[in-house]
Amino acid sequence: MRNPLILIVDDEPKSRQGLKRRLDAWNEQLADIHTAGTAFEALEFMQEHEVDLLITDIRMPEMTGLELIEKTKKLNQEPVFIVISAYSEFEYAQRALKMGVVNYLLKPVKKEAFIEAVSSALAAREKKDRYAMVEKAMEDPALEQIESLPEPLQEAAQFIEEHLGEKFSLKDVAAHVHLNPSYFSVLFKEQMGITFSEFLTRKRLQQAKRILLTSDLPVGEIAERTGYQTAKYFIQIFKEYEGKTPSKYRKEARED
């Protein structure tokens, strides 16, 4: 996993370098710390680098810090933002909050408050990245068309979702939605494009990936929670679909 990248933007050299020295002295997260003297310099830097935390002064010539934040979002970058201002103006603070700024600090910035703000912002960025990683792992087009299905199949999908950790068959689900098993099987594949068995496997693996990425539970317990009778069979199925074991999947995801 790469070190977080912090960019400090301030048109006042003394202020800019002072903030950088504070972070260099602290730097518990081994962050890469860079500075820019203008918003345009910052935007040019972000064309080439992915910034995790942008710390910007509000009042700068040619472009304000809030305008810089707006342009940053258009670069397809999603850093977290800290705004620093010499002015205690409610309007600025209100606008900053609406733009997703995680902290608004007034100059002169106290060392403890600054370090605490940076630490919290990096934690927020890490949480945001982890959430995005889990969301990406959950993507499966074959599982995302439930709302357009006939009502019996919507009920079937809900039943499956609520009982993933239990043992049940196609007959059990068909009985739950009051359909003949053979008809239910044909209808399911016709509407979903995959068989009931394939759908169930994908749902269980989707849930398994969520648990792998958000917990340290052992593989055997994850297998049990997602409806597999043995860890060996779970690992076999997981590897068949993902090309790697659950443990390797978790390890590589966290390293990335």
Side-chain angles (χ1 to χ4, degrees), residues 24-25 43 56 63 75 77 84 109 114 118 120-121 125 147 165 181 184 194 196 214 216-217 229 232 236:
D24 284 334
L43 289 170
T56 181
M63 188 188 304
L75 291 177
Q77 287 215 29
I84 296 176
V109 180
F114 180 61
V118 169
S120 296
R125 170 64 190 223
E147 292 182 1
F184 173 74
I194 57 176
F196 170 86
T214 59
D216 293 315
L217 288 175
Q229 300 302 303
K232 183 178 180 180
Q236 177 186 326

Coordinates of all heavy atoms in Angstrom, one line a residue, residues 24-25 43 56 63 75 77 84 109 114 118 120-121 125 147 165 181 184 194 196 214 216-217 229 232 236:
D24 N 6.4 17.2 8.8 CA 7.7 16.5 8.7 C 8.1 16.0 10.0 O 8.6 14.8 10.2 CB 8.8 17.3 8.1 CG 8.6 17.5 6.6 OD1 8.0 16.7 5.9 OD2 9.1 18.6 6.0
A25 N 7.9 16.8 11.0 CA 8.3 16.4 12.4 C 7.4 15.3 13.0 O 7.8 14.5 13.7 CB 8.3 17.6 13.3
L43 N -3.0 22.5 -9.0 CA -3.7 21.8 -10.1 C -2.8 21.0 -11.0 O -3.0 19.9 -11.4 CB -4.7 22.7 -10.8 CG -5.9 23.2 -10.0 CD1 -6.6 24.4 -10.8 CD2 -6.9 22.1 -9.7
T56 N -5.5 23.6 2.1 CA -5.4 24.8 1.3 C -5.9 26.1 2.1 O -6.8 26.0 2.9 CB -6.2 24.7 0.0 OG1 -6.1 26.0 -0.7 CG2 -7.7 24.5 0.3
M63 N -7.1 32.6 -7.5 CA -8.1 31.5 -7.3 C -8.2 31.2 -5.8 O -7.1 31.0 -5.1 CB -7.7 30.3 -8.0 CG -8.8 29.2 -8.0 SD -8.2 27.6 -8.7 CE -7.7 28.1 -10.3
L75 N -11.1 16.9 -11.6 CA -10.0 16.2 -12.1 C -10.1 14.7 -11.8 O -9.2 13.9 -12.0 CB -8.7 16.6 -11.3 CG -8.2 18.0 -11.6 CD1 -7.0 18.4 -10.8 CD2 -7.8 18.2 -13.1
Q77 N -10.3 13.3 -9.0 CA -9.6 13.0 -7.8 C -10.6 13.2 -6.6 O -11.4 14.1 -6.6 CB -8.4 13.9 -7.6 CG -7.3 13.5 -8.6 CD -5.9 13.7 -7.9 OE1 -5.7 13.6 -6.7 NE2 -4.9 14.0 -8.8
I84 N -7.7 26.3 5.6 CA -7.1 27.2 6.6 C -7.4 28.6 6.2 O -7.2 29.0 5.0 CB -5.6 26.9 6.7 CG1 -5.3 25.5 7.2 CG2 -4.9 27.9 7.6 CD1 -3.9 25.1 7.3
V109 N -2.6 28.8 13.2 CA -3.0 27.4 13.5 C -2.2 26.8 14.6 O -0.9 26.8 14.5 CB -2.9 26.5 12.2 CG1 -3.4 25.1 12.6 CG2 -3.8 27.1 11.1
F114 N -3.6 21.3 14.5 CA -3.3 21.0 13.1 C -3.0 19.5 12.9 O -3.5 18.9 12.0 CB -2.1 21.8 12.7 CG -1.6 21.6 11.2 CD1 -2.5 21.8 10.2 CD2 -0.4 21.1 11.0 CE1 -2.1 21.6 8.9 CE2 0.0 20.9 9.7 CZ -0.8 21.1 8.6
V118 N -5.1 16.8 10.7 CA -4.5 16.0 9.6 C -4.6 14.5 9.9 O -5.0 13.7 9.0 CB -3.0 16.3 9.5 CG1 -2.2 15.3 8.6 CG2 -2.8 17.7 9.0
S120 N -7.0 13.0 11.7 CA -8.4 12.6 11.5 C -8.8 12.6 10.0 O -9.5 11.7 9.5 CB -9.3 13.7 12.2 OG -9.1 13.6 13.5
A121 N -8.2 13.5 9.2 CA -8.5 13.6 7.8 C -7.9 12.4 7.1 O -8.6 11.8 6.2 CB -7.9 14.9 7.2
R125 N -9.9 9.5 5.0 CA -9.6 9.1 3.7 C -9.4 7.6 3.6 O -9.9 6.9 2.6 CB -8.2 9.8 3.2 CG -7.6 9.2 1.9 CD -8.5 9.5 0.7 NE -8.0 8.7 -0.4 CZ -8.0 9.3 -1.7 NH1 -8.4 10.5 -1.9 NH2 -7.5 8.5 -2.7
E147 N -35.0 -5.4 -8.8 CA -36.2 -4.6 -8.8 C -37.1 -4.7 -10.0 O -38.3 -4.4 -10.0 CB -35.9 -3.1 -8.5 CG -35.3 -2.9 -7.2 CD -34.9 -1.4 -6.9 OE1 -35.2 -0.6 -7.9 OE2 -34.5 -1.1 -5.8
G165 N -26.6 -17.7 5.2 CA -25.8 -18.6 6.1 C -26.4 -19.9 6.4 O -25.9 -20.7 7.2
P181 N -41.5 -26.1 -8.2 CA -40.0 -26.1 -8.4 C -39.5 -26.0 -9.8 O -38.6 -25.2 -10.1 CB -39.6 -27.3 -7.6 CG -40.6 -27.6 -6.6 CD -41.9 -27.2 -7.3
F184 N -40.5 -22.7 -11.3 CA -39.6 -21.7 -10.6 C -38.2 -21.7 -11.2 O -37.6 -20.6 -11.5 CB -39.5 -21.9 -9.1 CG -38.6 -21.0 -8.4 CD1 -38.9 -19.7 -8.1 CD2 -37.4 -21.5 -7.9 CE1 -38.0 -18.9 -7.5 CE2 -36.5 -20.7 -7.3 CZ -36.8 -19.4 -7.0
I194 N -29.2 -16.4 -15.4 CA -28.3 -17.4 -14.8 C -29.2 -18.4 -14.0 O -30.3 -18.0 -13.6 CB -27.2 -16.8 -13.9 CG1 -27.9 -15.9 -12.8 CG2 -26.2 -16.0 -14.7 CD1 -26.9 -15.4 -11.8
F196 N -30.5 -20.7 -10.8 CA -30.7 -20.5 -9.3 C -29.4 -20.8 -8.6 O -29.0 -20.0 -7.7 CB -31.9 -21.3 -8.8 CG -32.0 -21.3 -7.3 CD1 -32.7 -20.4 -6.7 CD2 -31.4 -22.3 -6.6 CE1 -32.8 -20.4 -5.3 CE2 -31.5 -22.4 -5.2 CZ -32.2 -21.4 -4.5
T214 N -13.8 -6.5 5.4 CA -14.2 -5.7 6.5 C -14.0 -6.3 7.9 O -14.4 -5.7 8.9 CB -15.7 -5.3 6.4 OG1 -16.5 -6.5 6.4 CG2 -15.9 -4.5 5.2
D216 N -11.4 -9.5 10.3 CA -10.3 -10.4 10.4 C -10.8 -11.8 10.8 O -10.0 -12.7 11.2 CB -9.3 -9.9 11.4 CG -8.6 -8.6 11.0 OD1 -8.2 -8.5 9.9 OD2 -8.5 -7.7 11.9
L217 N -12.0 -12.1 10.5 CA -12.6 -13.4 10.8 C -11.8 -14.5 10.0 O -11.5 -14.3 8.9 CB -14.1 -13.5 10.5 CG -15.0 -12.7 11.4 CD1 -16.4 -12.8 10.8 CD2 -15.0 -13.3 12.8
Q229 N -20.7 -25.8 4.1 CA -20.6 -26.8 5.2 C -19.1 -27.0 5.6 O -18.9 -27.3 6.8 CB -21.2 -28.1 4.7 CG -22.6 -28.0 4.3 CD -23.5 -27.6 5.4 OE1 -23.5 -28.2 6.5 NE2 -24.2 -26.5 5.2
K232 N -13.0 -26.2 3.3 CA -12.4 -26.7 2.1 C -13.2 -26.5 0.9 O -12.7 -26.0 -0.2 CB -12.1 -28.2 2.3 CG -11.3 -28.9 1.1 CD -11.1 -30.3 1.4 CE -10.3 -31.0 0.2 NZ -10.1 -32.4 0.5
Q236 N -12.4 -23.9 -2.3 CA -12.5 -24.4 -3.7 C -13.3 -23.6 -4.6 O -12.9 -23.2 -5.7 CB -13.0 -25.9 -3.7 CG -13.1 -26.5 -5.0 CD -13.7 -27.9 -4.9 OE1 -13.5 -28.7 -4.0 NE2 -14.5 -28.3 -5.9

